[in-house]
Amino acid sequence: MILLWRLCRVKFLLLEFSEEICYGDSGMKEYQIRRSENVPASDPSIGRRMSGGDHNWNSKVVLLNGLKSDSGKFSSSCKGAHVGKRHMWFHKNVRSIAYIFVLVGFFFLLDSLMVSIFDSINLQHSSTSKNSKGLKDDRKVAHTNKEKLPVKMYGRLLSLASSALTEKEFKPKKSDFWKEPYKQASSWKPCADRRPPNPGKHDESNGYIMVSANGGLNQQRVALHTFVTRCHFLQICNAVAVASLLNATLVLPRFLYSNVWKDPSQFGDIYQEEYFISVLKHEVNIVKELPSPLKSIDIEAIGSLITDADIAKEAKPIDYVRKVLPILVRNGVVHFLGYGNRLGFDPLPSKLQRLRCKCNFHALKFVPKIQEAASLLVRRTRKHDSARSMLDKQLLGNYMPNIPSKHHEVARGSYRYLALHLRFEEDMVAYSQCDFGGGESERKELQAYREIHFPLLIERLKSSKPISPEELRKLGRCPLTPEEAALLLSALGFKHGTYIYLAGSQIYGANSRMQAFTSLYPNLVTKETLLTPSELEPFRNFSSQLAALDFIACATADVFAMTDSGSQLSSLVSGFRTYYGNGQAPTLRPNKKRLAAILSENSTIRWNDFEDRVRKMIEEGQRVRVRGFGRSIYRQPRSPECMCRT
């Protein structure tokens, strides 16, 4: 714009000078009259410009247009002027001409100076912004470099799995593992809630039993937060069985506060108290708190405090009769502190075994707050409302809307979902002592974590013969990585678009580990992504209640897949699905030892062979088996005391 203004200015001066050459003073007057005629008189601003008051950009455009229209007239007039008069005028005005040239040169110099100043300012601003952008880019690169790169242990198999999933997208056939493979699974029905002809409950109680449930610090340290609630199931129902065995009145169990989870939740925050008492009232007397006369007693001082050191793990009923019953009868109260796994499964009278089942599968019902939030999880994952299954009714109550059965299959469509309990938290990974392909930096990181959090493990390793990470993997002692879980699901025929609910805590390595999984299965959801912040807020600082949400989402899924059959959560979820699933709630249990042998052939195995071997491994784990001696009735409820075979 400055350059254009300068050119117009020079042209205007030269034109006036030329007019003066041709016409002298009279010519200038005539030109001024002509110029004023060409400009509309109705524009006051232009009038001001004509009088020399306003020299903005618009005035110069108007004047320039006027000059253009007059240039032709000026040329013809100038040609008719007398040459002698021109020379005479020139000699008279030589000083004026020199002055005009000096003035024009001054304006050129001033304009050049202004342009150079503006250019310098712009250049400085541009340089500053570039430097600022460069610093931001450098910071971004530095931040990116801090993030871990994706870790892949089985690159070849991942590539084969990706190709196989792409092919399956164009085939209508669905995976066979959406259904139970064995028909005899549906022949087992829930019946632990049937009322026995002789309950065995006596009118006179031998005293009160108090229980402070605690999963044990070491167990909690190597398990995800969901273990806390699952362990409550075991401890509560074992306490019910012991109360019945000793003919005692059970005080509603309390949960010890853990410095690990910092969760103040108590029984009534998780389970419906009145419902629990009502369901078991024919077998066991249950009260909410001790009678007033006993509240002031120092339990430890009178010798009624019983710890895990006093009762052997997996103790038999006779151990309780010999050690605990005399104290109960003498003092009228006993307190089991930190009550862990202190009652074995066999040998045990059938009525106590049945009572355990009734407690676990019927009496423990989640509070409405948990049921309502869990129903949102399930409905948003399914993306539709379906006919309520037995699992839905038991775990979600009336918060799950019911759809007539005839519309059920139509509504389901492609919105089934698979729940995956992926146990790959930092605690679990570090404790295993396995190698997960993350290189030297990962090994140092996990070793540092062990030294801080597992000092007893470090001491034990110093005095024992070390086992190599390769040997640990062969023995099936290594947690499955997200990559291995994805390969497992793809070998079973689950398609790329399968909706997967991920249960558990934070995955070790985060995106660097999950990238391999999400590349094959991108439709991954968690309770944090399905619930809004306001819906999740009531559970924020209560790990046990968050655990309940995961438990329900896994138990009511169309398919449940575990990566560690020894996990409390996975085992109890599979038990619920067996009990209430009616043979239509498949659970996938990989054998880690067999899977490690299959994956060891990563560099040579063909995809078809990989699929066949993985399928056989899973199918073998789905066989319908009656609970074996000593096995947990919570995990394997198919037994005469718990389920009825039709």
Side-chain angles (χ1 to χ4, degrees), residues 355-547:
L355 184 57
R356 271 175 157 175
C357 274
K358 185 174 183 178
C359 170
N360 187 45
F361 297 114
H362 293 275
L364 289 173
K365 186 165 287 190
F366 292 114
V367 294
K369 179 180 78 169
I370 292 175
Q371 289 181 333
E372 184 177 13
S375 71
L376 293 177
L377 280 180
V378 175
R379 291 166 64 186
R380 289 171 186 174
T381 308
R382 290 177 181 170
K383 298 185 180 296
H384 72 279
D385 291 331
S386 62
R388 284 187 296 172
S389 65
M390 291 180 68
L391 281 163
D392 291 340
K393 293 175 183 177
Q394 175 62 24
L395 294 171
L396 298 170
N398 295 324
Y399 289 97
M400 202 67 180
N402 195 23
I403 301 294
S405 299
K406 62 181 180 180
H407 301 301
H408 181 44
E409 290 302 323
V410 176
R412 290 176 75 100
S414 60
Y415 297 122
R416 298 177 177 182
Y417 80 94
L418 179 148
L420 173 66
H421 182 206
L422 186 57
R423 292 205 65 190
F424 199 73
E425 304 82 16
E426 189 170 16
D427 284 351
M428 187 78 175
V429 171
Y431 196 85
S432 71
Q433 306 167 61
C434 297
D435 184 85
F436 298 96
E440 186 62 27
S441 61
E442 182 178 88
R443 284 191 286 272
K444 289 180 178 179
E445 182 180 33
L446 294 176
Q447 177 61 23
Y449 189 93
R450 280 191 289 270
E451 290 174 356
I452 295 172
H453 296 282
F454 304 121
L456 295 179
L457 173 64
I458 296 298
E459 290 299 319
R460 190 169 73 246
L461 291 175
K462 290 178 181 178
S463 59
S464 60
K465 183 180 179 181
I467 304 176
S468 68
E470 294 77 16
E471 188 64 25
L472 288 171
R473 189 168 294 279
K474 288 180 182 179
L475 294 171
R477 296 184 185 178
C478 298
L480 294 191
T481 66
E483 180 183 11
E484 291 169 334
L487 289 172
L488 176 74
L489 295 179
S490 58
L492 297 177
F494 290 100
K495 292 189 175 183
H496 179 73
T498 301
Y499 279 86
I500 298 177
Y501 179 90
L502 182 64
S505 189
Q506 293 183 347
I507 301 299
Y508 173 68
N511 292 336
S512 67
R513 288 289 176 181
M514 290 303 297
Q515 194 274 338
F517 189 98
T518 54
S519 66
L520 297 183
Y521 295 101
N523 293 331
L524 193 67
V525 296
T526 64
K527 57 183 175 292
E528 288 79 13
T529 60
L530 288 171
L531 297 178
T532 65
S534 60
E535 290 168 343
L536 204 57
E537 184 60 32
F539 307 98
R540 283 286 181 197
N541 299 317
F542 305 99
S543 60
S544 295
Q545 297 176 45
L546 286 170

Side-chain angles (χ1 to χ4, degrees), residues 116 120 158 262 298 301-302 390 403 442 584 600 617 620:
S116 62
S120 176
L158 276 177
K262 304 186 187 327
D298 187 337
I302 64 174
M390 291 180 68
I403 301 294
E442 182 178 88
Q584 299 177 17
S600 66
M617 173 189 69
E620 186 171 327

Side-chain angles (χ1 to χ4, degrees), residues 549-591:
L549 299 180
D550 272 343
F551 179 84
I552 294 173
C554 289
T556 57
D558 295 281
V559 176
F560 173 63
M562 63 178 75
T563 58
D564 181 15
S565 59
S567 159
Q568 289 283 5
L569 172 68
S570 293
S571 298
L572 292 168
V573 166
S574 65
F576 250 81
R577 293 172 65 81
T578 297
Y579 191 80
Y580 284 112
N582 195 32
Q584 299 177 17
T587 297
L588 312 179
R589 303 177 183 85
N591 182 310

Side-chain angles (χ1 to χ4, degrees), residues 11-35 38 66-78 81 86 89 100:
K11 183 174 180 181
F12 178 71
L13 291 172
L14 290 176
L15 193 55
E16 284 189 339
F17 175 65
S18 300
E19 286 271 6
E20 206 171 327
I21 291 174
C22 293
Y23 299 108
D25 296 338
S26 62
M28 283 301 294
K29 290 176 182 178
E30 183 184 348
Y31 177 75
Q32 288 175 1
I33 294 170
R34 268 201 322 270
R35 186 173 59 180
N38 290 334
L67 292 172
K68 284 180 180 179
S69 65
D70 289 340
S71 60
K73 297 177 183 179
F74 159 72
S75 298
S76 60
S77 300
C78 191
R86 184 187 302 171
W89 180 90
I100 289 172

Side-chain angles (χ1 to χ4, degrees), residues 2-74:
I2 294 173
L3 182 59
L4 185 59
W5 178 86
R6 183 169 59 193
L7 291 174
C8 293
R9 175 79 175 169
V10 171
K11 183 174 180 181
F12 178 71
L13 291 172
L14 290 176
L15 193 55
E16 284 189 339
F17 175 65
S18 300
E19 286 271 6
E20 206 171 327
I21 291 174
C22 293
Y23 299 108
D25 296 338
S26 62
M28 283 301 294
K29 290 176 182 178
E30 183 184 348
Y31 177 75
Q32 288 175 1
I33 294 170
R34 268 201 322 270
R35 186 173 59 180
S36 63
E37 290 173 351
N38 290 334
V39 178
S42 61
D43 190 345
S45 64
I46 294 178
R48 287 195 299 273
R49 289 195 293 269
M50 294 296 294
S51 62
D54 188 359
H55 294 284
N56 60 24
W57 171 247
N58 292 331
S59 69
K60 293 175 178 57
V61 174
V62 173
L63 290 173
L64 187 57
N65 290 335
L67 292 172
K68 284 180 180 179
S69 65
D70 289 340
S71 60
K73 297 177 183 179
F74 159 72

